[in-house]
């Protein structure tokens, strides 16, 4: 995970402790993060990306369909494909197949994509 991939509001994991934080400030040497109890400053080397899981996608508002998890946003449909182990996207009007979004395997990537497409933060329900 590269620091230039981050935005304020992204979720990151403190390495080796499986402890999740929200990014609240970014600077050249590290970032200020918070969890439910406190704020702290950590260096970039101390954190890692949080992998997307089915459980987390459901918390983000994805719903179960026959074989997949889906989330509809305006004319776009996001879905989790177990065979690709990441999130893919298609337009509701696109009958020609799926547009695979490569590399959306982590929470911060999905948060950033969602924000870029909607102008809103992806929040846990």
């Amino acid at each position: 995970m590269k620091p230039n991939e981050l935005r304020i509001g992204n979720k990151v994991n403190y390495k080796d402790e499986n402890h999740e934080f929200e990014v609240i400030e970014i600077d050249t040497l590290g970032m200020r993060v918070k969890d439910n109890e406190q704020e702290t400053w950590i260096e970039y080397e101390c954190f890692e990306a949080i992998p997307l899981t089915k459980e987390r996608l459901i918390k983000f508002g994805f719903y179960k369909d026959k074989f997949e998890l889906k989330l509809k946003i305006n004319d776009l449909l996001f879905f989790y494909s177990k065979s690709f182990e990441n999130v893919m996207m298609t337009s509701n009007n696109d009958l020609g197949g799926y547009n695979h979004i490569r590399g959306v395997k982590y929470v911060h990537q999905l948060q950033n994509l969602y924000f870029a497409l909607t102008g809103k933060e992806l929040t846990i329900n």
Side-chain angles (χ1 to χ4, degrees):
M1 184 166 153
K2 299 176 185 171
N4 64 354
E5 294 179 11
L6 293 173
R7 292 180 41 256
I8 292 173
N10 283 157
K11 303 288 187 191
V12 294
N13 196 36
Y14 196 78
K15 282 186 178 178
D16 302 325
E17 291 189 18
N18 198 25
H19 189 94
E20 187 176 307
F21 289 92
E22 179 180 340
V23 176
I24 58 174
E25 182 181 346
I26 300 169
D27 71 23
T28 56
L29 299 175
M31 61 188 167
R32 182 164 301 285
V33 295
K34 70 176 181 177
D35 64 5
N36 292 334
E37 300 172 12
Q38 64 183 4
E39 291 184 12
T40 189
W41 187 91
I42 59 175
E43 296 175 347
Y44 289 115
E45 299 83 33
C46 297
F47 69 88
E48 61 190 0
I50 301 170
L52 286 173
T53 62
K54 289 181 181 181
E55 294 78 19
R56 185 169 299 279
L57 290 170
I58 290 170
K59 288 181 182 180
F60 281 138
F62 280 66
Y63 59 92
K64 291 182 182 185
D65 199 359
K66 273 188 172 180
F67 304 106
E68 303 163 330
L69 294 175
K70 296 181 177 182
L71 177 66
K72 185 178 177 185
I73 305 168
N74 300 327
D75 290 337
L76 299 174
L77 181 67
F78 291 86
F79 65 95
Y80 175 81
S81 170
K82 185 175 181 177
S83 60
F84 289 102
E85 295 184 347
N86 63 16
V87 172
M88 299 171 69
M89 179 182 74
T90 187
S91 167
N92 286 341
N93 299 323
D94 181 5
L95 301 177
Y98 299 114
N99 300 312
H100 184 173
I101 303 172
R102 298 189 187 278
V104 181
K105 294 183 178 185
Y106 299 104
V107 169
H108 75 282
Q109 293 172 328
L110 183 60
Q111 287 177 303
N112 294 347
L113 178 62
Y114 185 91
F115 183 81
L117 293 171
T118 67
K120 299 176 184 174
E121 297 294 337
L122 181 62
T123 57
I124 292 177
N125 294 331

